[in-house]
Amino acid sequence: MLAHPEVAERLDLAWFGVKRDDLLPALHGGSKVRKLDFLLAAPPWSTAPGWAAAGAMGSGQLAALAAAAELLGKTLHAHVAWQTPTGHAIENLAFLATRAHITDHGSRVRMALRHPALLRGGSVKGFPVVPPGASAGPGLLGPVEAGLELATQVARGECPLPDEIVLPFGSGGTAVGLAVGLRRAGLPTVVRGVACVERPLAAAWRVRSLLDELGETDASLRIEHGHVGDGYGVPSAAADTAVATLVSQGINAEPVYGGKAMAALLASPPRGKRVLFWHTARRGPLPVDPRWRERLPASLQRRLDGGRGRRALLAGGLAVAAIVAIRTSGYPDRGFTGAVLAGWEAEVVRALGEAVATVDHDPAEAVATVDHFLTGLSPMARAEVHGLLALVEHGLGVQRFTSLAPAARRDALARLAALGSLPAVASRGARDLGLLGAYAQPGTWAALGYEGPIVGRGRPDAYAALCAAPGVAP
Ligand SMILES: *Cc1c(COP(=O)(O)O)cnc(C)c1O
């Protein structure tokens, strides 16, 4: 822990210091080590000869797991999806290439279809799956211990009691675990978790589910939005400036997490307060074998080489079509012809409506509403909806979603939501499609206390009441 008085003075803070998780000795350092330290020591990971894990191809989590596998003599089966190849991502991928068995799935949706267990938990080809961000189960204990560690440092006088701790919020395990640890140690410090992922992934429900897993109902944690810029992993000018500020203090920062968290502090420093910046990044560049590209699956090499990327994407699309084609038989023929939805997809939408809407509605009309709604989406968004429906139908359990009773379907969606991260967003998306079809029907409005639209549905009095009298100035 180091104090940085120049930064404190510049930002008008009573004190500014940095908690240096980059100096943690194992695995090139970084806060992820704290989580893996507990997770990988617990069964089934501790007893298995290797692990399966999913992520973007340049994920820091996969790189840290590869380092852990090397240290512990395990094999890492990394299932990767494509991401924009920024310098940071390439560095992680290059490290991963010579230390893991990489399976390239192209997109996250395809990965989920092929191996639902990567999202759901369990095992893939006999290897236990490491949960996303290791922010689950025993992995959450590492950040809790970090909170207790800080309390000890405060008690020893190594650092003043901070009013506020600023750190990045990704899968949320680090921020939430730390807040819980501080609370258990009796420190009143507020944790300011700066979202480095899109808003739906860093929402209140995510915090609640992590707290729940730790057996807590509350913690002094504030999630701050507005600094993710164009998205997770995409650099921003503010983050670059913040990285430069940290580098000027001798701290090797990165723009994906720490840069965005520090940008939040630079944008609104709590004047007169004692602030601790929790530095979560690893120590520095990872050792990379110069021939790493040769170790990549051919599909990744091709796409990294560019040019032929288009064809690779097309082939990927055909692969998805093949997976789905063999799974689309055995549905009732209701004579549905949609603009966007295939017959089996209409059955999934119908099943979603029956599961999530609590009022009687006409399922055929619900399906038609959703189909019409989808015509207004971009081709990319529509492709995601097709993937989502396939995931719901085939990826949530052994049985097809449509063959479950409505209560069992609700349970399946709840289990998906409880996984947090992208699976939780998928669960909400599926729920919303079900709700959309059912509650667009006038017959369901009374149950919602909604009187219907004012214009055009026989409520002329209500419309007249909204009109300004002639001659009234706006
Ligand atoms: C993964 C990572 C985080 C995010 O931690 P979460 O527990 O997923 O919120 C923050 N900083 C760095 C440098 C990371 O690699």
Side-chain angles (χ1 to χ4, degrees), residues 32 35 135 168-174 254 257 280-281:
K32 287 203 164 61
K35 294 193 277 191
S135 286
F169 188 107
S171 65
T174 308
E254 43 68 47
Y257 289 106
T280 53

Side-chain angles (χ1 to χ4, degrees), residues 30-32 35 59-61 88 92 132-135 140 143 167-176 194 196-197 206 210 232 254 256-258 278-282:
S31 301
K32 287 203 164 61
K35 294 193 277 191
S59 132
Q61 164 78 354
H88 201 67
N92 286 331
S135 286
L140 291 173
L167 85 172
F169 188 107
S171 65
T174 308
V176 174
V194 180
C196 299
V197 292
R206 175 70 187 145
L210 288 167
Y232 168 71
E254 43 68 47
V256 174
Y257 289 106
W278 201 290
H279 187 45
T280 53
R282 59 174 180 244

Side-chain angles (χ1 to χ4, degrees), residues 82-100:
W82 177 258
Q83 80 180 109
T84 311
T86 59
H88 201 67
I90 291 292
E91 183 195 336
N92 286 331
L93 178 63
F95 182 78
L96 190 69
T98 53
R99 290 170 178 81

